[in-house]
Structure formats: structure tokens, C-alpha cells
Amino acid sequence: MKHSTSPTPLYPRSTSPLPAPANYQPTTASAAVKRYKYLRRLFKFNQMDFEFAAWQMVYLFIAPQKVFRNFNYRKHTKSQYARDDPAFLVLLSLWLVLSSICFSVAIGLSVKRIAGFVFFVVFIDFIGLGILVSTFFWYVSNKYLCLPGGGDVEWGYAFDVHINAFFPPLSLLHCFQILLFNQILKHDGFVSCFLSNTFWLVSVFYYLYITFLGYSNVPMLKNARAFLFPLPILFLMYVCTLFADYNLSVQLIHFYEARHS
């Protein structure tokens, strides 16, 4: 009796519930070629897999480790950890624009100031600062955490880790927090300060935890737990802000108002 065999799927359902990205092909292109193709696809929306990007956003909240498992599949199929599809970046940018508009309306900015607010948040706070943070983590990883002869971390992957880690804090601070801002968070008192600063603590924890998952996912790195070392210091700072009645959300609003005055 002959036993029928079927090829093992590249994206097995038993390993990750995320759908496989469409149209993947193995490649051995150079970093410059990969970067060029990625930037060129920013203007070709019909070639982006927005459904897969949306699934990744959902799982960054409920099971972020499964998102990075799919980065391993990409390494085996396309010879790179970094995304070659800018769909996630495009969706995150649109989400940031919408959340920034809602945020600026909630804090009472004028129409003219809303436009400036959105520009600064997207191009300075997100893209500009994201490039700096990604470059810093990329340098530290390759300089101090790489195993000898294990290869280098791609800068594109460092940027992907950053935007993955940025999405949950963005949702917490720009969406869920703003629903409570005018009613609770902007007022004086311990309860307002506690809720506001707890939002920030959870957001920073999310960012560092997802960053840790991203860098522990690549086999050429050792001691990826270093990305979690700031957590005790951050918790101590959180306790100090509570004792000092220092409301971080109110201070952020003051910063935004001063920057766009």
C-alpha cells in the first residue's frame, strides 16, 4: 500500500495561527536591493498584504511571540528577517494619523494646530525617532550581543522590531487613554495620577517586552534579556511619580501645547 505524502507547509497552521503572507519567493538579494524594493513598494498598494499586516497588529496584543515566529519563516523563504512588504508600516502610519487627530481634538487644538500636530507625531515622533531608536538598538546588538561568526542583525529587522513594539503603546496612549483623559486623567488627585502613570508603565513594559521578543528571536544574539534590564528602574520611577503626584499624561499635554503654540 502506498502512503500519500504532502509537502510540509512553509507556514504550518499548528505553529502559528497567523496567515501566511502572499506571494513569497526565496531571495538572496543584497541589503541595498532589498531596501530599494521595500521603498518602491510603498507606492504600490495593490502589492501589499494588508490582511496579514492587520493580523499581526491583533497578535501583537494577544500573542506577540507568534508574530516573530513568522519572521523566522520569512528568513527561511526569503533569506531575510526584515519585512519586504511595507503594509504594516502603512497601516500603522494611517492608524497613527487617525489616533493623532482624535487625540488633538480631545485636547482642544484648532484645525491649523491639528495639522501641525499630526505632522510632528508621524514624521518626527514616529518615523524620525523610530529611525534613531532602531539604529541605536541595531548598533548595540551587533556590537555587544552578537555571537562570534553568527552574522549581523539587519537594520531593517531592527526597524521592524521597533514598529512592532510601538503599536501597542500607541494604542494605549493615543486611543484608550484619551477616552478617559477629560473625565479622569487630567484632574488633580491620586486616582488620576495613578491611572495615568499606570497607562505609561504598561505601555513602556509592552514596548520593552516586544523588543526583547524581537531580538531574542534571532539566533545570532546572546543575552537578549538585556532589553528587559530597564524594567526595575522604570518601576521605581513609576512609584516616585506617584509619590510626587507627577501626572505624566498632563505633562505630555503641556509638552504638545508648548510645541504647537
Side-chain angles (χ1 to χ4, degrees), residues 4-218:
S4 61
T5 59
S6 58
T8 303
L10 292 173
Y11 290 78
R13 292 181 181 274
S14 61
T15 305
S16 173
L18 291 175
N23 301 324
Y24 54 85
Q25 294 293 335
T27 181
T28 56
S30 66
V33 172
K34 293 175 184 178
R35 184 166 56 248
Y36 169 74
K37 289 182 177 180
Y38 182 90
L39 294 175
R40 187 178 62 181
R41 290 187 66 181
L42 279 172
F43 306 98
K44 297 182 179 181
F45 295 101
N46 60 327
Q47 296 184 8
M48 299 184 193
D49 193 349
F50 289 108
E51 181 181 358
F52 181 63
W55 272 102
Q56 288 182 317
M57 288 183 167
V58 172
Y59 274 89
L60 282 172
F61 268 106
I62 61 178
Q65 69 276 9
K66 293 178 180 177
V67 174
F68 289 106
R69 196 171 297 163
N70 280 269
F71 280 78
N72 284 332
Y73 301 150
R74 185 180 299 108
K75 177 63 175 179
H76 291 301
T77 58
K78 297 188 176 183
S79 302
Q80 66 181 67
Y81 284 103
R83 291 184 177 98
D84 63 338
D85 182 354
F88 188 92
L89 177 62
V90 171
L91 280 186
L92 181 56
S93 298
L94 291 175
W95 179 246
L96 185 57
V97 168
L98 293 175
S99 65
S100 297
I101 292 174
C102 295
F103 192 93
S104 55
V105 169
I107 63 177
L109 297 182
S110 64
V111 174
K112 181 179 180 180
R113 293 172 70 189
I114 287 175
F117 178 83
V118 173
F119 174 85
F120 268 89
V121 168
V122 174
F123 292 100
I124 306 299
D125 300 340
F126 173 46
I127 297 178
L129 187 59
I131 290 174
L132 292 177
V133 172
S134 302
T135 302
F136 174 76
F137 284 159
W138 168 78
Y139 175 80
V140 169
S141 299
N142 287 323
K143 181 71 173 180
Y144 301 106
L145 302 181
C146 267
L147 293 169
D152 296 332
V153 176
E154 308 160 27
W155 186 91
Y157 181 73
F159 185 72
D160 282 336
V161 171
H162 169 73
I163 62 177
N164 283 353
F166 183 81
F167 175 67
L170 165 67
S171 300
L172 288 172
L173 297 177
H174 264 212
C175 297
F176 299 121
Q177 181 182 227
I178 203 62
L179 296 175
L180 303 174
F181 183 77
N182 287 325
Q183 290 74 22
I184 301 176
L185 301 183
K186 74 174 184 179
H187 300 294
D188 296 330
F190 177 78
V191 174
S192 298
C193 184
F194 172 77
L195 291 176
S196 169
N197 294 4
T198 301
F199 265 110
W200 281 89
L201 178 67
V202 173
S203 298
V204 175
F205 172 81
Y206 246 125
Y207 182 87
L208 292 177
Y209 176 64
I210 294 178
T211 299
F212 158 73
L213 289 179
Y215 286 98
S216 63
N217 180 65
V218 290

